[in-house]
Amino acid sequence: MRSESVNYGLVSIIMPSYNTELYIANSIRSVISQTYKNWELIIIDDCSSDGTIDIIKSFNDKRIKLLVNKKNSGAAISRNRGLKEACGKFIAFLDSDDMWNKNKLKIQLQFMKKYDYHFTYSDYRIQKNGIWLPYICTGPLKVNLRKLYNYCYFFTSTVIYEREYVGLIQIEDLKKNNDYAMWFQALRNVDAYRLPRCLSYYVKHEESISSGHKWKLIKWHYILYRKGLQKGPWISSMLTFNNLVHGIVKKVRYWRAVNEAQYGDIM
């Protein structure tokens, strides 16, 4: 049997969207072009005021499901809603300005089945303001809950997990680091394993919420531990400092120079 025809089960892809008319079409196309075809794309629009919804509706594919929030609620609430609506055996995530390699689902599901892993993440590459940065972002081969406290070693759009083993994730209303909060819930039940292939592409731009001053990122990390994980002020402060240290370590240890022969063809 050809690998393209193997059916591992339905994959539910969760995609929050808000005013991403410049990017979301490319994100959706990267899903439609997947060589693994058994998926549903659940897009939760958070009251976009631009042409995002019209672009989503322009795709004539019954596997794409559009949910529109009644009021602007943020990515955490949108992800919670999408996860409740998901029907898949597997859960994947793709932000509305990011992209996948066309073989992402096929390769990652094969990897999970081969080694009986229930939560995996892949390597990824970053595009910043239209320019590809000259490194691949990697991570540890295995991340457990204890290691996750040190740093969020994987990026949202690289993750696939098996819902039966992780359960339904629902997180606090965090405006930032809500994806990090999801992994704390998930890794209570399973460990995360790295697939050493670059299969996802993180698109950063000036208006992105990910773009911010370092002191703001420190504040959001503190809020994650304090509000999202219900830790005390002292513990939250210590965990925030620990995270900053391991963030520096990651850049030294887990960023690898691009091999253009292997990664020159981005998609």
Side-chain angles (χ1 to χ4, degrees), residues 1-264:
M1 182 181 292
R2 295 177 60 192
S3 59
E4 289 84 357
S5 64
V6 175
N7 186 357
Y8 297 106
L10 179 66
V11 181
S12 295
I13 304 159
I14 310 301
M15 179 186 286
S17 69
Y18 177 69
N19 286 353
T20 53
E21 64 176 1
L22 298 178
Y23 313 100
I24 195 168
N26 286 334
S27 300
I28 294 173
R29 290 190 193 103
S30 78
V31 175
I32 292 175
S33 66
Q34 288 297 299
T35 53
Y36 185 82
K37 301 299 183 182
N38 190 12
W39 52 262
E40 62 173 0
L41 174 59
I42 303 173
I43 305 176
I44 312 94
D45 188 80
D46 201 21
C47 303
S48 292
S49 58
D50 62 1
T52 298
I53 291 180
D54 290 335
I55 291 171
I56 296 168
K57 290 181 176 179
S58 71
F59 287 90
N60 185 24
D61 194 313
K62 293 181 179 179
R63 296 171 295 178
I64 299 174
K65 302 177 181 180
L66 173 61
L67 308 175
V68 180
N69 291 340
K70 293 182 179 180
K71 63 177 182 179
N72 183 264
S73 303
I77 301 303
S78 296
R79 285 196 174 108
N80 284 347
R81 184 181 181 189
L83 288 166
K84 285 182 179 179
E85 293 287 334
C87 298
K89 179 179 180 180
F90 298 93
I91 303 294
F93 300 86
L94 180 62
D95 286 347
S96 57
D97 48 3
D98 298 329
M99 295 177 291
W100 282 345
N101 179 285
K102 66 181 181 180
N103 293 310
K104 198 262 191 192
L105 291 179
K106 181 187 71 174
I107 292 173
Q108 200 158 347
L109 291 173
Q110 287 175 341
F111 177 71
M112 294 174 75
K113 286 301 179 181
K114 180 178 180 179
Y115 295 103
D116 195 28
Y117 292 156
H118 307 299
F119 187 116
T120 63
Y121 67 99
S122 71
D123 297 347
Y124 63 96
R125 193 172 179 186
I126 299 173
Q127 183 192 92
K128 188 173 183 180
N129 296 325
I131 299 173
W132 291 103
L133 300 186
Y135 53 81
I136 299 296
C137 299
T138 72
L141 292 177
K142 178 181 177 180
V143 179
N144 56 23
L145 186 59
R146 181 194 60 77
K147 199 173 188 68
L148 187 67
Y149 273 99
N150 291 337
Y151 199 76
C152 185
Y153 287 102
F154 37 85
F155 159 55
T156 308
S157 295
T158 70
V159 167
I160 299 179
Y161 66 75
E162 198 165 353
R163 188 170 58 161
E164 175 186 354
Y165 294 88
V166 171
L168 175 62
I169 292 177
Q170 297 285 281
I171 57 175
E172 295 289 336
D173 182 11
L174 300 172
K175 300 304 179 186
K176 180 70 176 171
N177 282 334
N178 49 79
D179 51 350
Y180 200 173
M182 289 195 301
W183 314 144
F184 278 107
Q185 284 197 25
L187 267 59
R188 292 173 185 171
N189 302 316
V190 298
D191 294 329
Y193 294 90
R194 172 188 167 225
L195 168 59
R197 292 280 298 275
C198 183
L199 299 175
S200 297
Y201 307 103
Y202 179 15
V203 180
K204 299 178 73 171
H205 38 86
E206 290 299 334
E207 63 269 27
S208 170
I209 190 172
S210 299
S211 301
H213 299 294
K214 295 298 182 182
W215 70 267
K216 289 185 178 180
L217 298 180
I218 294 172
K219 179 187 77 171
W220 288 120
H221 275 84
Y222 177 84
I223 291 173
L224 165 68
Y225 298 121
R226 186 75 178 95
K227 179 181 177 181
L229 302 184
Q230 305 297 313
K231 302 295 183 182
W234 173 247
I235 295 297
S236 297
S237 298
M238 293 299 294
L239 289 171
T240 299
F241 176 77
N242 181 64
N243 188 281
L244 292 173
V245 172
H246 282 87
I248 296 172
V249 173
K250 181 186 179 183
K251 291 182 179 180
V252 174
R253 184 174 181 181
Y254 294 118
W255 285 10
R256 187 176 69 242
V258 172
N259 178 347
E260 291 295 349
Q262 183 176 3
Y263 298 113

